[in-house]
Amino acid sequence: MIDVATLSVIRRWALREQMSIREIARRTGLSRNTIRKHLRADADEPRYSKRISPSKLDPFALKLAGWLKTEAGRSRKQRRTVKQMHADLQALGYTGSYNRVAAFARLWHEQRQTAQQTTGRGTFVPLAFGCGEAFQFDWSEDWAVLAGVRTKLQVAHFKLSHSRAFYLRAYLLQTHEMLFDAHNHAFAVFGGVPRRGIYDNMRTAVDRVRRGKERDVNARFAAMVSHFLFEAEFCNPASGWEKGQVEKNVRDARHRLWQVVPPFPGLPELNAWLHDRCVALWHEIEHGKLPGTVADVWAEERAALMPVPRPFDGFVEHTKRVSPTCLIHFERNRYSVPAPFANRPVSLRVYADRLVIAAEGQIVCEHQRLIERNHHGAGQTVYDWHHYLAVLQRKPGALRNGAPFLELPPAFKRLQATLLKQPGGDREMVEILALVLHHDEQAVLSAVELALEAGAPSKTHILNVLHRLLDGKPAPAPVTSPQALRLTVEPQANVFRYDQLREVRHAS
């Protein structure tokens, strides 16, 4: 085998010094045919034919290539790994190593990528959008400190395709009700609704991806689209460049917002800050393709947007059965329901920030929604003591240790501590609590506080004060009396006066 240095010497002797082939062969020890072949090649370095060595994988190469092509068409989470394909080849009789299969897979992916780039799939066409034509939407995962805890957030990103005005809103979950709430806020901030919305194939919108642009759209998502009167358009799978503006906005937001976000006590405060920062950045960022800032172009585009209708009632409905303890279960937490609905089915309407319970066509009660990211605890129980008053009237003894009544207002607690020391105090306290079913709770609390201040904490006195408060009558003025009464004529202890009265009566 000849190396580059030897070839250089042979070429210099033959072409520059005109040395004969015989003399060169004598000096180098190479055959004259080898010297002639390299001189005819007119190359600066020797070239050798590629060595072809048989491999144990050769009989299975077509099968493996077919598997790789099939897996490339699947979603990332559903693809088989190379180790799994190696195990499947072994089941078919392959006795070679895993490294040979991995090398084949790497080479196949490199060739496929090269083919895609040369056929145009690696190149893109710049897109242009008219005023009010479209917006793009995407989710991202980011972090912020809420109530002193570093919290993982699901962030909804909206971007108007023409003006490039953007809006962010953070949630703890990526569910239907969060998606609907984000649209309500985004269209309110943009001041209108574009004609089209561009999405990827997220599970909260698409139930099934069919061939081409055909999609089985989720019913609740379709209801939202119909409410806002825009056309939903979905990208091809694994084709994020079809909504490249919002994809870029996700990356830009990480250094514009999330790297400088301060700690907040809760999610509402964070979203208020995000709203203000987004609108402020519109005035700071130049549009790039059109003169002026993003805010300047947005002001022009706003006139082309459809006016925002009323907010979409974006709840997700579940049917729940109320337990004998007047509770329903949702996301590992428990919420109280009025006692008349115990052991009965109710409708639970889940919103982004609250839960609404309905039954018999009416709203029964409402709770703030609790979302816990810790899946190891037992969850929390949210009581409303008003829901248990009907049970309490039949079982007044439950007032002493009833869990829902641990959260009574301070005035009721002071009154309870006084009445429970008296015989029949349980019953009297229950009757006072039941007043909130017929009168304003604040008025009842004011009456209780006045009765406690007067030192007469009884049901009769509280009812008297309550009626005066409801009628608007002032409290009666206090009666002032002297410390002692003094008579002008002091009485005398004279029994003869009694005899005189008897004699006068007898004479008459």
Side-chain angles (χ1 to χ4, degrees), residues 36-177:
R36 290 192 186 95
K37 181 183 71 172
H38 286 293
L39 290 175
R40 283 196 301 267
D42 195 22
D44 296 333
E45 58 183 73
R47 296 178 181 176
Y48 308 102
S49 59
K50 186 176 181 181
R51 180 181 177 182
I52 300 176
S53 56
S55 170
K56 295 180 181 179
L57 187 60
D58 291 344
F60 305 93
L62 291 178
K63 174 68 72 174
L64 181 57
W67 288 352
L68 291 169
K69 184 177 180 181
T70 301
E71 298 302 322
R74 295 180 176 176
S75 64
R76 180 177 55 84
K77 295 182 179 180
Q78 295 177 342
R79 294 174 189 168
R80 285 186 295 173
T81 63
V82 178
K83 285 189 176 180
Q84 290 173 327
M85 286 186 276
H86 173 249
D88 293 340
L89 287 176
Q90 287 181 323
L92 296 177
Y94 173 65
T95 59
S97 66
Y98 163 77
N99 291 336
R100 187 68 192 91
V101 177
F104 184 94
R106 283 195 299 270
L107 179 61
W108 186 89
H109 284 295
E110 291 173 0
Q111 293 174 347
R112 178 173 178 269
Q113 185 177 8
T114 303
Q116 289 178 348
Q117 293 174 350
T118 55
T119 55
R121 292 193 64 183
T123 57
F124 309 97
V125 177
L127 302 178
F129 296 89
C131 269
E133 179 181 354
F135 71 91
Q136 300 179 11
F137 174 84
D138 200 6
W139 287 103
S140 74
E141 290 185 354
D142 292 284
W143 296 81
V145 177
L146 301 180
V149 179
R150 188 170 182 265
T151 306
K152 184 178 180 181
L153 301 172
Q154 305 295 326
V155 184
H157 293 253
F158 292 83
K159 192 164 189 175
L160 295 178
S161 300
H162 176 74
S163 64
R164 301 182 182 177
F166 55 89
Y167 177 72
L168 278 70
R169 190 165 183 85
Y171 299 92
L172 295 178
L173 300 174
Q174 193 181 124
T175 53
H176 282 98
E177 60 273 15

Side-chain angles (χ1 to χ4, degrees), residues 323-486:
S323 71
T325 54
C326 308
L327 297 173
I328 60 171
H329 293 248
F330 181 70
E331 291 179 342
R332 301 174 57 255
N333 296 315
R334 295 159 295 280
Y335 302 86
S336 66
V337 176
F341 297 94
N343 301 305
R344 294 172 56 186
V346 295
S347 173
L348 175 64
R349 300 175 183 178
V350 182
Y351 291 85
D353 57 349
R354 69 189 189 279
L355 301 178
V356 176
I357 294 93
E360 300 175 354
Q362 296 182 351
I363 301 300
V364 173
C365 63
E366 183 175 327
H367 290 282
Q368 287 297 115
R369 182 179 178 181
L370 299 178
I371 300 177
E372 293 186 0
R373 305 302 294 269
N374 180 16
H375 299 287
H376 302 292
Q380 300 184 45
T381 303
V382 180
Y383 292 111
D384 186 341
W385 60 271
H386 303 82
H387 296 164
Y388 294 87
L389 288 177
V391 180
L392 202 60
Q393 290 175 346
R394 299 193 307 269
K395 302 177 180 180
L399 181 62
R400 291 180 179 267
N401 300 108
F405 306 106
L406 298 176
E407 302 174 1
L408 286 174
F412 282 152
K413 284 189 173 183
R414 295 200 306 271
L415 178 63
Q416 180 185 8
T418 302
L419 292 180
L420 292 186
K421 298 176 182 178
Q422 305 172 7
D426 286 342
R427 175 68 63 181
E428 188 171 358
M429 184 64 196
V430 169
E431 293 174 354
I432 294 172
L433 289 177
L435 293 175
V436 302
L437 298 176
H438 309 286
H439 305 286
D440 180 68
E441 183 175 340
Q442 291 301 319
V444 177
L445 282 172
S446 298
V448 170
E449 290 174 352
L450 291 173
L452 290 171
E453 291 176 3
S458 65
K459 175 186 173 184
T460 304
H461 187 73
I462 291 173
L463 281 173
N464 190 3
V465 175
L466 177 62
H467 289 154
R468 287 203 311 268
L469 292 175
L470 296 177
D471 294 339
K473 296 181 179 179
V479 177
T480 57
S481 60
Q483 296 295 327
L485 297 177
R486 183 172 299 176

Side-chain angles (χ1 to χ4, degrees), residues 6 138 157 248 276 281 335 469 490 501:
T6 304
D138 200 6
H157 293 253
K248 183 177 183 299
D276 295 339
L281 286 171
Y335 302 86
L469 292 175
E490 294 289 338
L501 290 174

